[in-house]
Amino acid sequence: MSDSRKRATIIDVATAANVSTKTVSRVFNDEPHVRKILRDKVLKAAAELDYHPNIMARGLVGRRSYLLGLIYENPSPNYVVELQNGALDRLHGEKYRLLVLPVQSVVEVSGKIMSVLRAAALDGVILSPPASDHPGILSELRQYDFPFARIAPTQSLDIGPCRTTDDIEASRKMTEYLLELGHTRIGVIKGDPTHPSSGARLTGFLEALKAAGLSHSPDLVEQGYYTYESGLAAAHKLLNRTDRPTAIFAQNDDMAAAAIMAARDLGLNVPDDVSISGFDDSAIAQIVWPRITTVHQPVYDMARDATDALIAKLEKKPFNMLGTHVCELIIRQSTAPPASR
């Protein structure tokens, strides 16, 4: 049987609440100076009638789409899920909706970012790394005065709302922890070189070694790309050495999980034969065994707060230009003191 139920309209809500359609419209447009008693009546009637305002129609009237974009170029599905969940959490109950815009390379969209955003009819955009640091993209957005907010940028922090974290300090803390366990030969699997976070995390690692009076061996650093596959290949190179490292610091959890698999492929036990640590504290860090010692990067919180700042900017409300989120060392079962050989 077909569903003959009629969808509730703004007129139905106005009739049920005994107010004008103009009042209903003002309530759902979050206009000021609507008395609380009237607002409550309208919302109660709308809930009882299962009425939902037509956001696209509202956008046509106000020349707004109420769509926000989230641009990312990150091969880690765990990182991307955290980004999306943080943004969606802030948008819950809002008139805005989220449109996810994955790109293969931010370099490819640089110079034509406005075409992409206009084609999607966006009101504003949230930039995640490395787009949040790309000078071409930032220049184009500023040229057209297009509203944006940035997640984890490392430079030009005064040109728009930013939510940052200190990758150098977090990486330094992880390295210091491995040194305290007694590891002096620590391998590193670097992330994608086009992402500023990779260089920052290597800087933190090298600073900790220097502070401990240890020299850096370039042979113990392998290139990865923040993907499981690249981490697997890099870990095999490190662990196949006759003088293999006693610990590996992978610059994200996907590559750390791959390093655990590489160790198993070679008949090595984690952490007895080799300790492995990661970065991000994404879901995979707690799914694999042993669970991964890592750095909790508040990706969810940064995405939520960046979205909040962008909404405030669009609504012409006060917001903080810069917000800094603290990383935390999470110690689990994948690390231990080195075994004597």
Side-chain angles (χ1 to χ4, degrees):
M1 293 179 63
S2 62
D3 189 349
S4 60
R5 288 176 299 179
K6 184 180 176 182
R7 179 177 176 178
T9 68
I10 191 172
I11 296 175
D12 297 326
V13 175
T15 301
N18 196 26
V19 298
S20 67
T21 55
K22 182 177 180 180
T23 297
V24 175
S25 178
R26 289 177 64 197
V27 168
F28 281 101
N29 281 314
D30 292 327
E31 292 184 17
H33 312 306
V34 178
R35 286 184 295 156
K36 184 178 185 304
I37 188 171
L38 291 179
R39 187 180 300 275
D40 291 346
K41 285 176 64 178
V42 168
L43 294 177
K44 182 174 183 293
E48 291 174 349
L49 293 169
D50 194 26
Y51 169 78
H52 302 281
N54 188 324
I55 291 176
M56 292 307 295
R58 184 197 306 172
L60 291 173
V61 173
R63 297 183 180 274
R64 299 274 295 278
S65 69
Y66 294 95
L67 284 174
L68 304 182
L70 172 63
I71 290 182
Y72 71 85
E73 177 219 308
N74 194 301
S76 167
N78 298 286
Y79 184 92
V80 171
V81 166
E82 288 292 288
L83 279 178
Q84 294 183 27
N85 285 344
L88 289 171
D89 177 61
R90 176 58 188 86
L91 293 179
H92 181 71
E94 284 281 356
K95 55 181 173 280
Y96 293 94
R97 297 295 181 266
L98 186 69
L99 182 64
V100 178
L101 299 170
V103 297
Q104 290 295 321
S105 168
V106 295
V107 175
E108 293 177 5
V109 297
S110 178
K112 53 185 178 183
I113 189 67
M114 286 307 304
S115 319
V116 174
L117 301 183
R118 283 172 174 164
L122 300 179
D123 285 347
V125 66
I126 304 155
L127 304 173
S128 68
S132 55
D133 260 329
H134 195 281
I137 289 176
L138 296 175
S139 175
E140 191 175 355
L141 291 174
R142 295 181 71 196
Q143 178 185 349
Y144 289 91
D145 196 26
F146 192 85
F148 64 89
R150 302 158 69 199
I151 297 171
T154 61
Q155 54 193 350
S156 304
L157 304 183
D158 58 342
I159 63 173
C162 302
R163 296 301 178 262
T164 67
T165 189
D166 192 339
D167 283 286
I168 294 177
E169 175 62 18
S171 183
R172 186 189 299 120
K173 285 182 178 179
M174 175 60 79
T175 309
E176 289 171 349
Y177 165 70
L178 294 174
L179 291 170
E180 288 169 3
L181 287 176
H183 297 281
T184 55
R185 287 185 55 75
I186 304 172
V188 172
I189 303 177
K190 296 193 297 182
D192 191 322
T194 67
H195 290 231
S197 60
S198 179
R201 292 171 193 179
L202 184 61
T203 296
F205 169 77
L206 295 175
E207 287 182 358
L209 286 185
K210 183 177 180 181
L214 297 174
S215 59
H216 161 57
S217 173
D219 292 341
L220 292 179
V221 178
E222 292 291 343
Q223 184 67 62
Y225 294 90
Y226 286 141
T227 64
Y228 183 93
E229 293 76 15
S230 68
L232 190 65
H236 269 285
K237 290 180 182 178
L238 289 170
L239 295 175
N240 270 313
R241 295 172 58 95
T242 55
D243 56 346
R244 69 172 184 264
T246 62
I248 292 177
F249 179 12
Q251 289 190 348
N252 81 343
D253 293 333
D254 292 67
M255 296 192 299
I260 291 175
M261 181 57 70
R264 288 177 181 161
D265 289 344
L266 297 171
L268 300 174
N269 182 273
V270 178
D272 294 339
D273 297 316
V274 59
S275 287
I276 293 172
S277 64
F279 202 109
D280 285 340
D281 194 25
S282 55
I284 197 171
Q286 297 191 61
I287 293 173
V288 299
W289 183 260
R291 295 188 304 162
I292 299 172
T293 291
T294 187
V295 171
H296 175 74
Q297 183 182 201
V299 176
Y300 179 98
D301 295 338
M302 286 192 289
R304 182 196 60 209
D305 291 356
T307 306
D308 180 71
L310 180 57
I311 291 174
K313 184 174 183 177
L314 290 168
E315 301 290 335
K316 303 188 186 315
K317 295 178 180 178
F319 62 89
N320 293 325
M321 283 286 285
L322 181 62
T324 302
H325 294 256
V326 178
C327 289
E328 180 185 358
L329 186 65
I330 306 295
I331 299 172
R332 297 195 178 105
Q333 292 83 9
S334 67
T335 52
S340 57
R341 295 191 204 162

